[in-house]
Amino acid sequence: MNFYLPIAEISINIYLLISLGIGIGFISGLFGIGGGFITSPLLILVGIPPAVAVGTTTVQVFASTSTGVMSHFQKKNIDYQISFTMIVGGIFGTLTGVLLLSSLKNIGLIDNYLNAIYIILLLGTAMFILYETAKINLIYKNKKFKLHQHSWIHGLPIKIKYRKSKLYISILAPLSIGYLIGMLTGLTGIGGGFILIPCMIYILGMKTISVIGSSLLNITVVALISLFLQIYINQNIDFVLAIFLIISSSIGAAIASRIIDKFDQENLKVLFGVLLVIIASFLIYDLFRTPLELFRINYV
Amino acid sequence: MNSTSFTLDTYNIEINSSFLGKEIMLFGQKNANRDIIIIFEGNKQEANLDTKVKKGIFWVNTSKSLSDIPSFFGIFTTPKKSLNEIFLIPKITEKHNLINNFSEGLFQIRKALKAKGLYYEEQLEVSEGNLFYKKFEIPDNISEGDIKIYFYEIFDGEILSSNEKNLSIEKKGLTSNLENLLTEQSFFYVFILIVFSIAFSLISNLIFRKK
């Protein structure tokens, strides 16, 4: 059974869409991620125009993070000072990303750049996860564990005290990280938690307890801003597609939450890394294979 | 019907949430000695033509911006006529940009439209000497807007008579409402999505919460 998507202007098999949403939600729930960086490339692979895939993914990212923020708000696990600094950077970053997306769409190069960015993100994250898993195993064996090390970041000017996290670091560090993640959100639709969290832990030196809540607040607010920018600048959010994704991915995430305890966390991480490599392989194959059609027309 | 005329089984196509494309039946009658050329030309829009080019081992896009590209283009003839033969009738080619000349650029655009199911070059089926018909598909990726239908009766390379009709393509119902909401009340469009996102996430958390 097919359903017409009014903004994407194509019809899509409803069972494929629901399966995709449940699959994305299941993976997100199982691996504790927002899932945006899987949603966006998969939507493109099933034929959704790239700009619409990016815009609509932002809705799914917002939906999957907003309730998480509320629960961390109740648990008081959020460092508002750092979060708001990152959000300020994120606002400018999102605007840059959305404008970049608009330019790439207008000059017809959106496929090339999005493909390249997704491949780098997916493979980069996969390598990071596999490396971290191997490192933690090694550290536990050697009984040496130093999470936060001083780096060039701590030499930056305009230092500020972040009381909750007990940090004295340059405001430029969270601002820049916020800007980078915001740009990724605007350009690719992803929330960027899988980059943000390691940055907050390893670069800013935040404590793990407040990292999740603070990163969720940053992602939710930046996704919210991105939603408005996408709609006003690119008009690329498909309402029907978004609703299907929100419902089906919630179901998938719920199924995952019921069975997650049956899996070993370390094995899950490795499995996740492998999954990312598989998705990246499809995108890389797309760059190598002789295209079925050499010419393609896209109405502006 | 006059001795030479044509009609469609519908002059209105509605794009609604169950729209999967629409099969159109074109039929009419002609003088047995005359040739018929019927051209469907959709409303003209701006577009990008992406061309895949091999750079090293990768296939990458190059793109150029175009204007006045029809949303749909179909040429139906009897007897079978190639584009080369139609090029010999300048009064027709002058009127339709997409078949204006032999250039590589137009060839690429026609090929790109064909790949999307938006371009046809077909022969009309003829029965009983003077009746013709053709079934073809308007695909689900068609844009909203009118498709003009140009009918030409040809004899010895000259246009003897011509006629124009209109096929309207309109978004209706939910599809139309959502598009209007998006373009005219963008804030409200996002607001509904935000409220739905939060509400559904809360509801699903309650339903699926582990006991």
Side-chain angles (χ1 to χ4, degrees):
Chain A
M1 192 172 88
N2 281 42
F3 202 88
Y4 185 78
L5 302 174
I7 309 303
E9 293 193 325
I10 56 160
S11 62
I12 190 162
N13 187 292
I14 202 164
Y15 302 117
L16 172 72
L17 193 57
I18 291 172
S19 312
L20 197 72
I22 291 177
I24 289 164
F26 183 77
I27 292 166
S28 306
L30 207 56
F31 301 117
I33 54 163
F37 70 118
I38 303 174
T39 312
S40 210
L42 284 180
L43 287 179
I44 294 170
L45 282 173
V46 299
I48 306 294
V52 177
V54 168
T56 310
T57 298
T58 314
V59 184
Q60 193 237 334
V61 168
F62 175 78
S64 65
T65 53
S66 53
T67 46
V69 174
M70 291 176 210
S71 88
H72 283 277
F73 173 74
Q74 286 165 346
K75 289 177 192 163
K76 297 183 177 167
N77 280 344
I78 300 174
D79 183 333
Y80 291 102
Q81 216 186 342
I82 281 196
S83 290
F84 285 125
T85 313
M86 288 194 301
I87 287 167
V88 171
I91 292 170
F92 291 102
T94 311
L95 183 62
T96 312
V98 172
L99 289 174
L100 256 175
L101 180 75
S102 173
S103 310
L104 289 175
K105 191 177 120 188
N106 289 340
I107 59 173
L109 294 177
I110 191 168
D111 295 21
N112 290 351
Y113 283 88
L114 279 187
N115 240 7
I117 292 169
Y118 289 137
I119 290 168
I120 292 167
L121 287 178
L122 291 165
L123 287 182
T125 313
M127 280 193 292
F128 180 78
I129 290 167
L130 296 174
Y131 168 75
E132 279 301 307
T133 311
K135 196 172 90 176
I136 287 169
N137 285 338
L138 209 68
I139 287 165
Y140 277 128
K141 271 183 195 164
N142 296 335
K143 302 283 180 199
K144 278 191 287 182
F145 189 71
K146 194 175 182 186
L147 194 62
H148 170 53
Q149 290 172 329
H150 272 257
S151 64
W152 59 272
I153 286 284
H154 297 85
L156 291 174
I158 325 174
K159 288 193 174 181
I160 284 183
K161 266 190 187 165
Y162 291 97
R163 292 180 202 286
K164 188 170 173 77
S165 297
K166 292 179 183 152
L167 289 171
Y168 182 59
I169 53 167
S170 166
I171 192 173
L172 298 177
L175 265 180
S176 317
I177 291 170
Y179 181 83
L180 175 79
I181 301 300
M183 194 166 78
L184 276 177
T185 303
L187 181 60
T188 65
I190 66 170
F194 62 103
I195 300 173
L196 185 58
I197 290 172
C199 284
M200 290 166 87
I201 295 174
Y202 298 107
I203 297 177
L204 299 184
M206 285 177 73
K207 287 177 185 151
T208 319
I209 189 152
S210 59
V211 162
I212 305 294
S214 308
S215 71
L216 274 175
L217 177 64
N218 180 72
I219 293 167
T220 308
V221 176
V222 169
L224 185 68
I225 293 160
S226 184
L227 279 179
F228 283 101
L229 291 174
Q230 295 285 14
I231 215 80
Y232 280 107
I233 295 174
N234 293 324
Q235 301 211 315
N236 58 345
I237 299 175
D238 194 295
F239 195 94
V240 177
L241 181 61
I243 299 287
F244 270 115
L245 275 181
I246 292 168
I247 296 174
S248 53
S249 63
S250 298
I251 295 169
I255 297 169
S257 73
R258 296 259 161 145
I259 61 164
I260 193 166
D261 298 339
K262 292 173 186 159
F263 290 92
D264 174 70
Q265 286 299 309
E266 288 309 307
N267 288 343
L268 268 184
K269 277 187 187 169
V270 175
L271 195 65
F272 182 49
V274 173
L275 180 79
L276 297 185
V277 173
I278 291 171
I279 299 173
S281 307
F282 277 111
L283 296 174
I284 293 170
Y285 171 69
D286 210 41
L287 288 176
F288 280 107
R289 76 185 169 108
T290 307
L292 294 172
E293 303 294 342
L294 287 178
F295 309 108
R296 198 178 56 188
I297 204 118
N298 294 308
Y299 293 100
V300 178
Chain B
M1 270 189 190
N2 299 324
S3 62
T4 304
S5 61
F6 80 102
T7 190
L8 303 181
D9 62 345
T10 179
Y11 286 93
N12 268 303
I13 296 179
E14 289 185 1
I15 301 178
N16 53 33
S17 51
S18 58
F19 181 67
L20 306 175
K22 169 88 179 162
E23 191 178 69
I24 297 283
M25 179 72 166
L26 158 70
F27 56 98
Q29 65 178 16
K30 69 180 203 76
N31 187 313
N33 305 319
R34 309 276 159 81
D35 299 349
I36 300 293
I37 298 175
I38 299 174
I39 294 179
F40 285 69
E41 189 173 33
N43 62 322
K44 290 176 181 165
Q45 302 176 18
E46 288 186 6
N48 289 322
L49 177 70
D50 298 344
T51 309
K52 290 271 184 192
V53 181
K54 196 161 192 182
K55 286 196 175 163
I57 50 170
F58 298 116
W59 287 91
V60 294
N61 276 348
T62 59
S63 185
K64 60 180 169 194
S65 299
L66 306 165
S67 55
D68 292 339
I69 301 301
S71 60
F72 181 87
F73 201 88
I75 309 169
F76 301 95
T77 59
T78 179
K80 186 176 169 61
K81 281 190 192 296
S82 66
L83 263 190
N84 285 345
E85 290 171 277
I86 295 171
F87 284 138
L88 297 173
I89 314 171
K91 279 187 180 164
I92 293 181
T93 55
E94 280 162 11
K95 199 165 181 174
H96 307 284
N97 291 349
L98 205 62
I99 50 169
N100 198 245
N101 57 52
F102 292 98
S103 71
E104 174 67 16
L106 285 183
F107 167 77
Q108 291 176 358
I109 297 168
R110 289 194 293 266
K111 203 156 172 131
L113 285 172
K114 195 172 183 178
K116 283 190 142 183
L118 296 169
Y119 180 85
Y120 285 93
E121 253 177 62
E122 303 244 334
Q123 185 182 0
L124 292 161
E125 310 287 338
V126 177
S127 66
E128 299 172 28
N130 63 344
L131 297 176
F132 63 83
Y133 65 94
K134 185 74 198 173
K135 270 186 190 172
F136 65 97
E137 177 92 6
I138 301 278
D140 63 357
N141 55 359
I142 188 77
S143 314
E144 193 176 25
D146 289 351
I147 296 178
K148 282 214 154 119
I149 310 156
Y150 300 87
F151 176 89
Y152 301 103
E153 187 183 20
I154 312 285
F155 182 71
D156 206 15
E158 291 294 321
I159 300 174
L160 290 185
S161 67
S162 64
N163 187 2
E164 284 182 28
K165 287 185 180 176
N166 215 45
L167 170 61
S168 140
I169 315 254
E170 253 186 305
K171 287 187 174 172
K172 288 272 182 182
L174 179 70
T175 307
S176 165
N177 295 340
L178 284 175
E179 194 175 78
N180 289 340
L181 197 63
L182 172 68
T183 50
E184 288 161 24
Q185 294 180 62
S186 306
F187 181 86
F188 196 51
Y189 185 93
V190 179
F191 184 73
I192 296 173
L193 277 174
I194 291 167
V195 170
F196 182 85
S197 301
I198 296 173
F200 193 81
S201 301
L202 287 172
I203 292 166
S204 65
N205 276 0
L206 281 176
I207 295 172
F208 296 112
R209 191 165 54 186
K210 275 197 246 182
K211 285 162 190 161

